[in-house]
């Protein structure tokens, strides 16, 4: 069982019907383990339905930093009967499947099955099965010999807005589950020694993006709810009063992007977020932002497509779409964060970059990163100083004869804010002259295209996020990825020093100087992608000198976990 035999890590899967609270108890456990000093990686796998179906929360716990999931679990707890048959084959060799034999009317007990009457325990508290998730939380804590104090403290914080009785009953349910496990499971195979506390926070990718935007002084957020981007809006709304931000749920994605453009034109930092289907509706607005040179930040949290696709699953198939979205040619930048930390800091950078070059900046993420949790050191917004790149209110008083699209050597025109200057600001979606008036002059058209596209792209190419590179010198195999594949590539490179990896946290413009300076002689080079057509490989072949030998692809809606990647590497070396 690898690391499990050394008691350095294990994985837990909590499975049941939608509505049974797997995410709640999973996060309670994750926070309790964080408080005990462990590193965690957690992810919610859920179907696109409110009730029924089957969902699970997977939590990996370790003594060392971890960045991805394992395929199999050491402890599986089934809150409904269907989960028993669905996941019994996902146990590790010495793993254990916990379920309520009496409630599920299951007679057999072969294999590593463990009976826990969590339905009876829950009903003994208040006559209903309302608290089975808290019982299950306590059961798992008992199995891994986690001190109950950690669970109790997190439960108190989780339900602090509820009545005192609800808090007490949840803690009692968890305590009964914990005691049952301790009394009836005598083995210590799942015990881990607590490493000691560290001051860390737990976030998922969407929360980090939202907090990065708020730290960058975003003051207007508009969106239409679309999985998996919706929790960005939830987080922005949660902190809206503290940060004095307007959060608007628009009637559709067309309205959302145009509201954000209008807010940005008026002088505030603005953002919107969606998934691929919603972004398809935004592309005319994207071109409008480019033509009017209005800075805007847009998040595309990818999910499998086309059309509605798998609404709650993950994929990286929007890369080519987002590279070319919008009619016409114009400058843009595309970030593709791979960690929770990058989600935060790149969101901050996106606003600076958008305003500096007066362009749309896109953040390309996906469901796996959006909904995955890790414990990380406290984020420091001071690392990214805020730079507004606008004419100040004081300097605006003396402006006369203002030209919004003044031709400059850099292609970037001084940006004034309406009402701060006495001059009228003319902005038009048609081709225009320096003052903003519509024109059909051929020479002016050439100058404006050069301004919006060539000059800005030349400058953007000098401010690209460098690739993250590890193990390259001694590697026989090199894997390259973008976005959420960072974690699985990093863990594989840590396990096998003959595997090097390159992660791109910016996919446009590409960091060409760094990539083209690398030597891949004698190395087998592969991309690792959650799509069917090797979109990153195509981009690298077109834009760089790198020769891509093969691609490891996954497009079943599930993330590339460490076991999947290991198997795929082995197949290609046979």
């Amino acid at each position: 069982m690898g690391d499990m035999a050394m008691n350095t890590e294990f994985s837990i899967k909590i499975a049941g019907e939608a509505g049974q609270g797997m995410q709640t108890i999973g996060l309670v456990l994750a926070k309790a383990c964080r408080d005990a000093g462990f590193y965690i990686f957690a992810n919610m796998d859920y179907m696109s339905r409110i009730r029924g179906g089957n969902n699970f929360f997977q939590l990996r716990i370790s003594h060392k930093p971890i960045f991805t999931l394992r395929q199999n679990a050491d402890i599986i707890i089934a809150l409904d009967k269907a989960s028993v048959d669905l996941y019994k084959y996902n146990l590790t060799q010495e793993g254990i499947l916990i379920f309520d034999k009496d409630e599920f009317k299951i007679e057999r007990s072969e294999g590593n099955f463990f009976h826990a009457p969590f339905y009876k325990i829950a009903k003994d508290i208040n006559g209903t099965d309302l608290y089975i998730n808290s019982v299950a939380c306590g059961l798992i804590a008992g199995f891994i010999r986690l001190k109950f104090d950690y669970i109790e403290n997190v439960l108190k914080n989780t339900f602090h807005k509820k009545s005192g009785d609800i808090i007490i009953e949840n803690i009692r349910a968890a305590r009964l589950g914990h005691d049952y496990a301790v009394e009836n499971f005598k083995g210590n195979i799942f015990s881990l020694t607590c490493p000691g506390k560290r001051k860390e926070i737990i976030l998922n990718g969407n929360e980090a993006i939202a907090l990065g935007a708020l730290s960058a002084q975003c003051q207007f957020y508009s969106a239409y709810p679309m999985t998996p981007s919706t929790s960005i809006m939830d987080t922005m709304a949660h902190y809206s009063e503290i940060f004095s931000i307007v959060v608007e749920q628009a009637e559709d994605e067309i309205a959302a992007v145009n509201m954000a453009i209008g807010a940005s034109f008026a002088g505030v930092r603005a953002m919107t977020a969606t998934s691929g289907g919603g972004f398809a509706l935004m592309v005319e607005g994207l071109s409008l932002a480019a033509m009017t040179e209005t800075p805007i930040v847009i998040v595309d949290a990818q999910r499998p497509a086309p059309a509605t696709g798998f609404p709650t699953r993950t994929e990286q198939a929007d890369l080519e779409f987002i590279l070319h979205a919008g009619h016409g040619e114009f400058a843009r930048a595309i970030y593709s964060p791979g960690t929770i930390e990058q989600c935060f800091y790149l969101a901050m950078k996106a606003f600076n970059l958008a305003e500096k070059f007066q362009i749309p900046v896109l953040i390309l993420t996906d469901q796996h990163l959006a909904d995955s949790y890790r414990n990380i050191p406290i984020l420091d917004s001071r690392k990214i100083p805020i730079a507004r790149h606008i004419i100040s209110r004081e300097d605006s008083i003396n402006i006369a004869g203002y030209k919004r699209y003044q031709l400059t050597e850099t292609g970037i025109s001084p940006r004034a804010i309406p009402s701060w200057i006495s001059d009228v600001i003319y902005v038009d979606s048609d081709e225009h002259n320096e003052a903003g008036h519509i024109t059909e002059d051929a020479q002016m058209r050439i100058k404006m295209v050069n301004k919006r596209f060539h000059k800005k792209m030349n400058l953007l190419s000098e401010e690209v996020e460098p690739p993250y590179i590890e193990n390259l010198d001694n590697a026989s195999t090199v894997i390259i990825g973008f976005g959420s594949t960072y974690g699985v590539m990093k863990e594989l490179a840590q396990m096998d020093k003959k595997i090097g990896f390159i992660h791109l946290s910016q996919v446009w413009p590409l960091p060409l100087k760094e990539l083209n300076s690398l030597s891949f002689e004698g190395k087998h080079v592969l991309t690792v992608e959650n799509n069917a057509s090797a979109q990153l490989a195509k981009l690298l072949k077109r834009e760089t000198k790198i020769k891509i030998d093969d691609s490891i692809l996954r497009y079943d809606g599930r993330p590339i976990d460490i076991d999947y990647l290991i198997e795929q590497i082995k197949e290609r070396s046979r």
Side-chain angles (χ1 to χ4, degrees), residues 68 104 140 216 297 306 415 496 520:
T68 188
F104 301 159
I140 295 171
V297 177
R415 182 177 168 226
D496 185 349
F520 297 94

Side-chain angles (χ1 to χ4, degrees), residues 59 99 115 118 135 139 185 226 347 442 446 468 481 546:
L59 171 64
F99 61 90
H115 166 62
F118 42 81
V135 175
L139 275 165
F185 186 76
M226 189 172 189
I446 292 171
Y468 180 88
I546 301 172

Side-chain angles (χ1 to χ4, degrees), residues 91-109:
L91 282 172
T92 56
Q93 186 178 349
E94 298 177 27
I96 192 162
L97 175 59
I98 309 166
F99 61 90
D100 190 330
K101 260 174 42 172
D102 298 334
E103 178 70 20
F104 301 159
K105 303 295 189 294
I106 296 175
E107 297 298 329
R108 67 187 187 278
S109 57

Side-chain angles (χ1 to χ4, degrees), residues 1-11 60 70 72-75 90-96 112 185 188-192 495 563:
M1 205 159 52
D3 281 343
M4 183 60 204
M6 298 168 56
N7 282 343
T8 61
E9 73 161 71
F10 53 82
S11 293
R60 186 174 167 214
R70 305 302 300 245
N72 294 325
D74 303 294
I75 298 175
N90 293 134
L91 282 172
T92 56
Q93 186 178 349
E94 298 177 27
I96 192 162
N112 297 344
F185 186 76
N188 63 355
I189 187 172
F190 303 116
S191 299
L192 288 179
M495 294 166 61
D563 301 297

Side-chain angles (χ1 to χ4, degrees), residues 346-396:
L346 290 180
M348 291 195 70
K349 285 188 174 184
F351 285 93
N352 284 348
L353 200 71
E355 285 203 323
K356 182 174 182 177
F357 294 103
Q358 300 172 24
I359 58 169
V361 176
L362 302 113
I363 301 174
L364 190 61
T365 179
D366 55 58
Q367 183 272 329
H368 181 54
L369 182 58
D371 291 336
S372 290
Y373 295 86
R374 278 181 53 238
N375 52 326
I376 60 173
I378 293 173
L379 299 163
D380 185 2
S381 61
R382 294 171 298 181
K383 290 183 178 180
I384 311 294
I386 294 169
R388 287 302 314 268
H389 301 286
I390 55 177
I391 300 172
S392 69
R393 187 186 291 269
E394 294 75 19
D395 291 340
S396 297

Side-chain angles (χ1 to χ4, degrees), residues 449-485:
V449 171
N450 287 337
K451 167 184 172 30
R452 289 189 299 264
F453 183 46
H454 292 297
K455 289 185 175 182
K456 289 187 179 184
M457 285 305 302
N458 287 338
L459 290 176
L460 275 171
S461 65
E462 300 298 321
E463 295 198 25
V464 178
E465 288 296 299
Y468 180 88
I469 302 170
E470 194 168 314
N471 289 357
L472 198 60
D473 291 342
N474 299 318
S476 56
T477 298
V478 177
I479 50 179
I480 308 176
F482 70 103
S484 65
T485 59

Side-chain angles (χ1 to χ4, degrees), residues 42 52 58 100 110 176 196-197 326 350 358 482 526 550:
Q58 191 154 326
D100 190 330
E110 75 275 7
L176 290 170
K197 295 182 180 180
Q358 300 172 24
F482 70 103
L526 310 94
D550 201 353

Side-chain angles (χ1 to χ4, degrees), residues 175-386:
R175 167 67 77 177
L176 290 170
H178 179 273
D179 292 349
Y180 184 90
V182 171
E183 292 167 7
N184 292 277
F185 186 76
K186 300 303 183 182
N188 63 355
I189 187 172
F190 303 116
S191 299
L192 288 179
T193 304
C194 294
K197 295 182 180 180
R198 296 180 308 278
K199 195 171 184 180
E200 293 184 331
I201 56 175
I202 291 180
L203 289 177
N204 66 24
N206 273 357
E207 291 168 343
I209 287 173
L211 292 174
L214 292 168
S215 298
Q217 297 182 357
C218 175
Q219 290 184 278
F220 184 88
Y221 180 88
S222 55
Y224 182 80
M226 189 172 189
T227 305
S229 69
T230 308
S231 59
I232 296 176
M233 181 163 62
D234 294 340
T235 306
M236 299 290 267
H238 179 77
Y239 292 108
S240 59
E241 290 189 13
I242 297 173
F243 287 89
S244 299
I245 178 175
V246 174
V247 178
E248 177 70 21
Q249 180 175 321
E251 61 266 31
D252 56 35
E253 289 84 358
I254 298 172
V257 70
N258 285 311
M259 285 180 182
I261 291 170
S264 179
F265 171 72
V268 301
R269 289 187 158 185
M271 183 172 84
T272 185
T274 184
S275 190
F279 185 70
L281 296 175
M282 292 184 177
V283 293
E284 186 178 21
L286 180 74
S287 287
L288 176 63
M291 175 59 93
T292 59
E293 300 185 52
T294 305
I296 185 174
V297 177
I298 304 175
V299 180
D300 175 10
Q302 300 166 97
R303 70 190 206 189
T308 310
F310 274 176
T312 61
R313 307 295 180 185
T314 197
E315 199 160 271
Q316 293 183 309
D318 289 355
L319 176 57
E320 290 188 328
F321 171 38
I322 206 168
L323 279 169
H324 305 289
H327 47 296
E329 299 165 303
F330 53 88
R332 74 190 76 193
I334 306 172
Y335 289 135
S336 52
T339 66
I340 307 299
E341 296 92 333
Q342 286 181 355
C343 284
F344 178 81
Y345 293 117
L346 290 180
M348 291 195 70
K349 285 188 174 184
F351 285 93
N352 284 348
L353 200 71
E355 285 203 323
K356 182 174 182 177
F357 294 103
Q358 300 172 24
I359 58 169
V361 176
L362 302 113
I363 301 174
L364 190 61
T365 179
D366 55 58
Q367 183 272 329
H368 181 54
L369 182 58
D371 291 336
S372 290
Y373 295 86
R374 278 181 53 238
N375 52 326
I376 60 173
I378 293 173
L379 299 163
D380 185 2
S381 61
R382 294 171 298 181
K383 290 183 178 180
I384 311 294
I386 294 169

